[in-house]
Amino acid sequence: MIRDLEDEILGCTRCSRLIDYIRKVAIEKKPKYRNYQYWGKPLPGFGDPNAWLLIVGLAPAAHGGNRTGRVFTGDMSGERVYRALYEIGLSSSPKSESRYDLVELKGVYLTNAVKCAPPKNKPNKEEIGSCSYFLKKEIESLPKLKVILTLGRIAFDTTTNILGIDGKFSHMAIYSTNRLTVVASYHPSQQNFVSGRLTWGNWISIFYKIKTLYTSHNA
Ligand code: SF4
């Protein structure tokens, strides 16, 4: 069950460098969030246990998910994810602001390849390898899963390794197994939007493409 897995993730202390870092960030805080009670723990996924779509990011942001306690919540990348999900009808709201708000996801579950925020957004190989245990379990724990959208190269490589897919990351690449379709996208980071690598138009088009894939899975 995905809910049991969330409890297991919360108790994990396997990567001491990351655990030390997320606790330190939660104590020191960003000045503008000094009155905010940071999460400061490994961050489980969020969404519908009957999801047909799984979205895999890299890792929580130190002052985003590691602050708010919900994946893709509290930073610009996350805002783009929820807005896109709302536009295709999979989120009850275009915004997720804290783990206490009432946002509901329908048919989608959100997670990261690495569940603890890493310094400079860069987990090392061992940390990615250790945490892939949880991503594998998440994939196995979503019985209705059909499509996985991976955001960025690390999410893509980790997911395809788990599934035994011999794939190469490129934006909009699509690979399939008997059970699942994996779609690769650039990460919706501020850097990718400022550089023009991603625009709102080509970002949202991925979500419409995914809806089409789901329909074809069920045809
Ligand atoms: S990154 Fe994953 S494996 Fe490492 S401590 Fe956090 S939850 Fe555990």
Side-chain angles (χ1 to χ4, degrees):
M1 288 277 289
I2 199 88
R3 298 289 177 237
D4 298 332
L5 189 58
E6 289 169 6
D7 289 340
E8 197 184 336
I9 291 166
L10 267 175
C12 183
T13 54
R14 232 174 283 176
C15 310
S16 55
R17 182 183 83 110
L18 300 188
I19 295 292
D20 290 349
Y21 178 69
I22 60 177
R23 288 177 181 166
K24 182 168 171 280
V25 168
I27 292 166
E28 292 178 353
K29 305 181 183 181
K30 228 181 198 179
K32 75 175 188 179
Y33 301 127
R34 67 181 177 283
N35 295 323
Y36 205 103
Q37 177 89 38
Y38 272 55
W39 179 252
K41 291 175 274 203
L43 188 60
F46 169 67
D48 184 352
N50 289 314
W52 58 265
L53 172 63
L54 174 66
I55 300 182
V56 184
L58 166 60
H63 303 280
N66 188 54
R67 171 175 61 88
T68 61
R70 181 185 284 165
V71 284
F72 293 106
T73 300
D75 59 39
M76 296 288 288
S77 306
E79 284 186 20
R80 295 179 180 113
V81 171
Y82 281 95
R83 209 172 121 201
L85 289 173
Y86 179 72
E87 187 162 326
I88 63 163
L90 300 185
S91 173
S92 62
S93 167
K95 276 188 174 179
S96 168
E97 291 175 317
S98 92
R99 65 184 178 278
Y100 302 112
D101 69 26
L102 299 177
V103 173
E104 259 187 73
L105 298 180
K106 294 164 273 183
V108 59
Y109 192 85
L110 309 178
T111 194
N112 284 302
V114 174
K115 312 306 192 223
C116 295
K120 298 184 178 161
N121 277 328
K122 287 195 172 118
N124 64 36
K125 270 192 184 162
E126 290 70 33
E127 291 157 353
I128 296 166
S130 293
C131 215
S132 69
Y133 163 83
F134 287 125
L135 181 57
K136 182 169 185 289
K137 289 270 185 186
E138 286 171 318
I139 293 169
E140 291 168 354
S141 302
L142 293 168
K144 298 195 174 160
L145 188 61
K146 301 281 184 218
V147 181
I148 304 178
L149 172 62
T150 60
L151 306 179
R153 187 181 302 271
I154 290 177
F156 175 81
D157 288 346
T158 309
T159 303
T160 49
N161 281 342
I162 288 169
L163 297 175
I165 293 171
D166 184 16
K168 193 166 180 301
F169 176 83
S170 70
H171 185 63
M172 292 292 279
I174 297 176
Y175 293 90
S176 294
T177 67
N178 287 341
R179 180 189 161 216
L180 296 168
T181 298
V182 177
V183 180
S185 167
Y186 293 131
H187 193 281
S189 64
Q190 192 62 351
Q191 194 183 357
N192 281 337
F193 270 80
V194 168
S195 69
R197 179 177 266 181
L198 270 181
T199 61
W200 179 257
N202 58 24
W203 170 240
I204 194 67
S205 71
I206 294 165
F207 288 78
Y208 283 106
K209 173 80 187 167
I210 283 167
K211 263 195 130 176
T212 311
L213 284 170
Y214 177 59
T215 309
S216 67
H217 258 290
N218 290 295

